Amino acid sequence: MSERLIMLDVPGVLYSDRSAARLGGTPTSGTLRDVRFFDPIALGFLRRLFGIAGARVVVSDAWRRGTPAAILQQLDLQVEGMTPRVAGGHGAEIDAWFTQRAAPGSWVILSTAAPASMTAAQRRHLVQVNPAEGLTVENFRQALDILGVACPSTVTPDSRVEPGLQAKLRHLQQLAREAPERFMPAPAAAEAREQAMAIAVASLTGQSLQPAALHA
């Protein structure tokens, strides 16, 4: 058995309300034509998940029933197996699966099921997917975290500053040091110029003048 498992409930995860609107239907006919109605974005996240984490997929029996094996082959889900056929929803199916075999080192549940329908132990492994949206990048990150795998930089936002922007920031910082009045509100900038002029005149005439406090 794989050291990492993804316990997958397909409806609402690999196809959703959003994908149905975009693709024009849902994969519920039980024929190979269903393949076109699976959300390619969600499938992409799932494939990256088992690709990066080295995980395999256990598919919910409730969805598997009546689904041609050819569809599973077309979807390339890296299937380890199917949960046993039991009543009680996805959580009960997962319990039945692990009753028959030892749990791996890391495993995650991708499901639209409510947390209340899961056991306390299962909730620690649950990534609850919104059936209106399907599997998202946030779900993907949560799943990697539960599996104990670092999220690749190609998915997380890059915190590095673009070199051109760095140069602009340095230029602005230099201007702020050399001509701070340019970054003040108009009244304060005018007052600063007047103070600077007064100080310059005082230095030329030998008078002593203390600059007044500036007010924004």
Side-chain angles (χ1 to χ4, degrees):
M1 184 174 68
S2 173
E3 292 184 0
R4 293 189 177 99
L5 286 180
I6 301 166
M7 312 303 290
L8 176 66
D9 194 13
V10 175
V13 178
L14 296 187
Y15 62 89
S16 62
D17 296 343
R18 182 166 60 184
S19 67
R22 187 173 70 248
L23 301 174
T26 55
T28 54
S29 72
T31 67
L32 278 176
R33 295 179 60 188
D34 282 347
V35 172
R36 63 187 173 134
F37 293 128
F38 284 90
D39 186 353
I41 297 173
L43 281 170
F45 283 132
L46 181 64
R47 287 170 182 152
R48 290 203 70 186
L49 193 57
F50 56 65
I52 294 168
R56 291 183 66 83
V57 175
V58 176
V59 178
S60 167
D61 174 77
W63 176 78
R64 181 269 305 261
R65 290 178 220 159
T67 303
I71 289 183
L72 293 175
Q73 293 172 352
Q74 288 287 325
L75 295 178
D76 187 25
L77 296 182
Q78 301 294 312
V79 174
E80 173 90 4
M82 311 286 180
T83 58
R85 183 175 301 184
V86 296
H90 197 199
E93 292 179 359
I94 293 169
D95 259 352
W97 169 270
F98 287 131
T99 297
Q100 299 175 2
R101 53 189 57 77
S106 301
W107 54 283
V108 64
I109 303 170
L110 300 180
S111 181
T112 61
S117 68
M118 302 276 178
T119 66
Q122 289 171 347
R123 285 196 290 272
R124 292 195 293 270
H125 298 266
L126 175 64
V127 174
Q128 187 181 20
V129 179
N130 183 345
E133 298 181 349
L135 191 64
T136 65
V137 65
E138 288 304 320
N139 299 145
F140 171 81
R141 290 177 178 140
Q142 292 169 17
L144 281 179
D145 187 54
I146 291 172
L147 290 171
V149 178
C151 190
S153 59
T154 52
V155 175
T156 54
D158 193 345
S159 60
R160 293 172 297 180
V161 180
E162 190 266 332
L165 180 58
Q166 282 185 328
K168 291 178 182 178
L169 289 173
R170 284 195 296 268
H171 179 61
L172 288 172
Q173 289 168 348
Q174 183 177 356
L175 283 177
R177 288 192 298 268
E178 296 175 353
E181 69 275 8
R182 294 181 60 178
F183 297 87
M184 297 177 182
E191 187 176 350
R193 285 193 293 271
E194 291 174 1
Q195 288 289 336
M197 181 64 72
I199 293 171
V201 170
S203 66
L204 290 173
T205 59
Q207 297 177 358
S208 176
L209 179 66
Q210 295 297 324
L214 297 180
H215 300 282

